[in-house]
């Protein structure tokens, strides 16, 4: 049975602001319908100085990897917000031409529109040249990462975010040094079908018995393993389980492989992409890490 004792964060959801014509989130055209504006990314940008490590990572990403004519996946989070705003500034200054953005979320779509970045739709034949994104945590050497742990999933989508990243030829993750770790701890979000969700949750709980607890994510109100009075329902109509590890995670790749075998699992927050880069920001500078066999590291 699912564990009934653990501390879990109460993650409220934002109003739904985009619709998908594919309930399963499987490689179909995604369109956005703007209804409200969210100040979250703007607030993230404005709260951090342009001399902050994350801003330096965002600026380095745009200046180093973006070229005119690219289709770019636009990530979500603090560093991505700053990268979107800086990219818009550079487009207006004439540094880049014929840029097309593919947002990973409705929030990044809204921020890109305000920054003056032309937006496109994602379809089966879409070619994304480059994508940048924030992650919650990233594994040393492999650069396998986790998304969706702390973001508000009412108008965000793990499915959408991973789809954009999976279709990009090149990826850069912008992280702080405390997110770049060898011994991983914390939780992994799992998107599951709402019908018979409890059976899915119990199977996942049995899978990691003794190492993790499984809680259904609430939208608002009381937090408990069942999701409280108002369990969160994503824009695709799914629930989210937070697999809260009480022991160090030995391998994110093995966790992802195990989750994908569970009936009722639609998607999970583990992102595995080869090749990709991580820009690790600290007060002393930036470190550029590749998940290539030599695992080269360079400083900026």
């Amino acid at each position: 049975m699912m564990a009934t004792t653990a501390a879990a964060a109460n993650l409220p959801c934002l109003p739904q602001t985009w619709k998908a014509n594919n309930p399963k989130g499987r490689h179909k055209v995604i369109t956005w319908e703007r209804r409200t504006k969210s100040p979250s990314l703007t607030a993230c940008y404005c709260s951090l100085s342009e001399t902050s490590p994350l801003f330096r990572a965002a600026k380095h990403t745009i200046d180093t990897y973006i070229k005119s004519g690219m289709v770019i996946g636009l990530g979500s989070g603090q560093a991505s917000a700053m990268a979107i705003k800086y990219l818009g500034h550079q487009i207006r200054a004439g540094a880049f031409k014929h840029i097309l953005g593919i947002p990973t979320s409705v929030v990044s779509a809204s921020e890109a529109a305000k920054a003056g970045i032309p937006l496109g739709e994602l379809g089966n034949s879409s070619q994304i040249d480059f994508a940048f994104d924030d992650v919650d945590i990233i594994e040393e050497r492999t650069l396998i990462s986790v998304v969706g742990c702390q973001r508000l999933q009412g108008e965000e989508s793990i499915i959408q975010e991973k789809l954009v990243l999976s279709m990009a030829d090149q990826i850069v993750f912008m992280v702080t040094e405390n997110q770049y770790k060898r011994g991983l701890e914390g939780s992994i979000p799992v998107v599951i079908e709402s019908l018979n969700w409890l059976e899915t949750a119990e199977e996942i709980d049995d899978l990691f018995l003794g190492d993790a607890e499984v809680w259904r994510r609430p939208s608002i109100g009381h937090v408990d393993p069942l999701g409280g009075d108002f369990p969160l329902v994503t824009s695709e109509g799914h629930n989210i389980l937070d697999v809260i590890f009480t022991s160090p995670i030995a391998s994110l790749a093995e966790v992802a492989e195990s989750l994908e075998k569970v009936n009722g699992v639609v998607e999970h927050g583990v992102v595995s992409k080869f090749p990709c880069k991580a820009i690790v920001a600290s007060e002393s500078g930036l470190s550029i890490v590749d998940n290539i066999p030599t695992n080269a590291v360079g400083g900026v």
Side-chain angles (χ1 to χ4, degrees):
M1 294 295 291
M2 293 172 58
T4 57
T5 58
N10 183 4
L11 301 177
C13 69
L14 296 174
Q16 294 183 10
T17 55
W18 65 274
K19 297 178 179 180
N21 65 356
N22 177 21
K24 290 287 185 181
R26 301 299 187 194
H27 299 278
K28 296 209 176 176
V29 175
I30 305 293
T31 58
W32 284 268
E33 177 183 344
R34 275 178 70 179
R35 300 178 187 173
T36 59
K37 292 185 178 180
S38 170
S40 57
L41 288 187
T42 301
C44 289
Y45 180 90
C46 295
S47 66
L48 294 172
S49 167
E50 291 190 0
T51 62
S52 72
L54 275 181
F55 179 80
R56 293 198 298 269
K59 184 177 184 297
H60 178 82
T61 297
I62 301 304
D63 290 341
T64 305
Y65 302 107
I66 303 298
K67 295 179 176 60
S68 294
M70 276 188 167
V71 178
I72 303 169
L74 307 174
S76 303
Q78 288 186 342
S80 293
M82 291 184 280
I84 289 170
K85 189 167 184 178
Y86 180 69
L87 175 60
H89 175 272
Q90 293 299 88
I91 290 173
R92 293 191 300 274
F96 303 117
K97 296 180 179 180
H98 309 297
I99 294 292
L100 188 67
I102 306 295
T104 58
S105 69
V106 69
V107 177
S108 57
S110 175
E111 289 302 308
K114 289 185 288 186
I117 301 172
L119 297 178
E121 295 180 352
L122 179 63
N124 289 338
S125 59
S126 293
Q127 179 65 41
I128 299 177
D129 300 299
F130 176 79
F132 57 80
D133 201 6
D134 292 54
V135 295
D136 296 302
I137 195 168
I138 191 164
E139 190 174 62
E140 285 188 13
R141 300 183 305 276
T142 68
L143 300 191
I144 299 175
S145 57
V146 180
V147 299
C149 292
Q150 300 179 23
R151 295 176 196 158
L152 307 181
Q153 293 297 324
E155 63 176 21
E156 303 297 310
S157 170
I158 294 172
I159 294 173
Q160 176 69 11
E161 185 170 8
K162 288 192 64 176
L163 180 57
V164 171
L165 295 177
S166 71
M167 299 185 73
D169 290 340
Q170 302 178 68
I171 291 180
V172 164
F173 296 121
M174 300 170 290
V175 297
T176 59
E177 58 183 341
N178 66 337
Q179 294 171 303
Y180 180 67
K181 297 182 177 181
R182 177 171 298 177
L184 300 182
E185 299 175 346
S187 65
I188 294 176
V190 184
V191 183
I192 63 168
E193 296 175 354
S194 297
L195 185 64
N196 299 322
W197 76 270
L198 187 57
E199 287 85 346
T200 303
E202 289 180 341
E203 185 173 349
I204 294 173
D205 190 61
D206 291 341
L207 192 64
F208 302 110
L209 190 63
D211 294 320
E213 298 181 356
V214 179
W215 290 53
R216 184 163 64 155
R217 187 175 295 186
S219 57
I220 58 174
H222 178 65
V223 180
D224 64 32
L226 301 182
D229 296 328
F230 302 98
L232 187 143
V233 178
T234 72
S235 50
E236 300 96 353
H238 303 309
N239 288 155
I240 292 181
L241 300 177
D242 287 305
V243 183
I244 307 166
F245 283 85
T246 55
S247 301
I249 304 171
S251 169
L252 283 176
E254 292 179 3
V255 170
E257 184 179 1
S258 298
L259 289 171
E260 289 162 6
K261 296 177 181 178
V262 177
N263 186 39
V265 170
V266 179
E267 189 55 276
H268 53 72
V270 179
V271 178
S272 179
K273 180 75 173 181
F274 183 88
C276 72
K277 298 178 185 291
I279 300 181
V280 184
S282 68
E283 293 295 337
S284 60
L286 304 178
S287 295
I288 315 302
V289 185
D290 297 281
N291 63 350
I292 57 177
T294 57
N295 217 23
V297 179
V300 176

